[in-house]
DNA sequence: TGAGTATATGAGAATATGATCATATAGAAA
DNA sequence: TTTCTATATGATCATATTCTCATATACTCA
């Protein structure tokens, strides 16, 4: 069981998914643009996380929303605290959150993504104007 | 980095090694009988745990003593607490500890193991007389 | 020195994993 | 109904992982 949990966590793409789900629920097409992964690849990673019990899925019409499993969370409190702490210190994970927040701020919606992927990518990848003024 | 840590933990044999090292320092031949792994296989697992920074090794003559890395421990407190908590609830890990304690109680030493492996195995595998009176 | 012991490592086989392409399914919209 | 869209999955390839056997290294003891 412990082994299965760690196997599920032993992949950067899956860790990036979990990091995003710490900040909300998302459907596959949203995660796709946040992470730059192909639909098929992403779907498989979500499948593994679901099989291992770390995340759950809720169908909403043709969309599927993924979220952290409350059951798993309550049974693995220390692990989640550890993950959140470590992820906050890592550029890769922070960048993903930034993209996700740009997406939310811009009031973009799930259905726009496919039609205007180029434009959506440009919007979510824009630098924070004041942050990191290098 | 996080990914590397989880990769190192994503194997039952390595988790069993870590579980034992939570309770002391041991050399390869001791871990060998506690876990029933071949010398070569065990050595490789120890190598991976060492490469990932989770454990360290100290040479003592022809023996090598392995132990949890204090540096890693201090940088991953929550993870270690999580591991210890989960391991205490798992039969497999508890059994390993029992074998290790039988070994210590019997005042067996590292050098006896090779000569009398059969006998050592018998001693460390004996049931606790009062515990689990099934 | 030479023999013996503890551990590490190269090479190979078996299996597992991750990514991709094409296709299937299921729901939405027309 | 047909068409379109979101997600899942079969098949495949490339790579990674685990284990084993044989051998190498490094230390000890005579």
């Amino acid at each position: 069981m412990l082994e299965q949990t760690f196997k599920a966590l032993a992949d950067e793409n899956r860790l990036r998914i979990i990091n995003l789900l710490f900040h909300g629920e998302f459907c596959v097409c949203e995660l796709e643009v946040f992470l730059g992964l192909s639909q098929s690849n992403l779907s498989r990673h979500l499948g593994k996380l679901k099989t291992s019990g770390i995340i759950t899925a809720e169908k909403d019409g043709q969309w599927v929303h993924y979220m952290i499993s409350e059951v798993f969370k309550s049974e693995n409190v220390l692990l989640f605290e550890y993950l959140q702490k470590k992820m906050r210190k890592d550029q890769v994970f922070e960048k993903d959150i930034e993209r996700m927040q740009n997406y939310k701020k811009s009031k973009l919606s799930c259905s726009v993504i496919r039609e205007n992927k180029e434009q959506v990518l440009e919007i979510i990848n824009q630098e924070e104007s004041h942050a990191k003024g290098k």
Side-chain angles (χ1 to χ4, degrees), chain A:
Chain A
M1 202 67 257
L2 206 47
E3 185 191 2
Q4 296 316 310
T5 299
F6 287 131
K7 270 203 199 318
L9 296 174
D11 178 276
E12 174 162 44
N13 287 329
R14 290 196 289 272
L15 288 172
R16 288 173 73 195
I17 292 169
I18 291 171
N19 175 52
L20 284 165
L21 295 186
F22 277 147
H23 294 80
E25 305 180 10
F26 302 100
C27 69
V28 182
C29 67
E30 288 172 328
L31 294 170
E32 216 176 308
V33 289
F34 298 159
L35 299 173
L37 296 180
S38 75
Q39 181 271 318
S40 147
N41 192 12
L42 184 54
S43 181
R44 280 184 206 282
H45 283 304
L46 290 167
K48 289 199 182 179
L49 287 171
K50 201 172 139 199
T51 300
S52 74
I54 298 176
I55 67 176
T56 59
E58 266 177 28
K59 214 157 188 180
D60 169 25
Q62 43 187 340
W63 285 277
V64 179
H65 288 270
Y66 283 93
M67 63 210 76
I68 299 288
S69 157
E70 284 304 319
V71 174
F72 190 91
K73 196 178 188 174
S74 70
E75 288 172 353
N76 297 273
V77 175
L78 287 169
L79 178 61
F80 273 33
E81 281 177 23
Y82 172 74
L83 279 171
Q84 286 176 312
K85 192 175 166 187
K86 286 289 177 185
M87 284 168 167
R88 276 196 297 269
K89 288 181 188 165
D90 188 310
Q91 278 250 350
V92 174
F93 298 119
E94 285 297 292
K95 260 287 177 198
D96 289 339
I97 297 300
E98 215 175 276
R99 268 193 294 276
M100 181 271 286
Q101 285 170 342
N102 282 339
Y103 171 85
K104 279 196 169 172
K105 248 186 272 172
S106 307
K107 308 282 181 204
L108 291 166
S109 82
C110 207
S111 49
V112 183
I113 292 179
R114 291 288 170 117
E115 297 162 23
N116 290 8
K117 197 154 186 177
E118 290 290 308
Q119 205 188 328
V120 172
L121 277 175
E122 210 169 285
I123 290 171
I124 68 174
N125 279 312
Q126 75 199 344
E127 286 286 327
E128 294 278 311
S129 53
H130 43 76
K132 302 211 174 124
K134 193 172 182 181

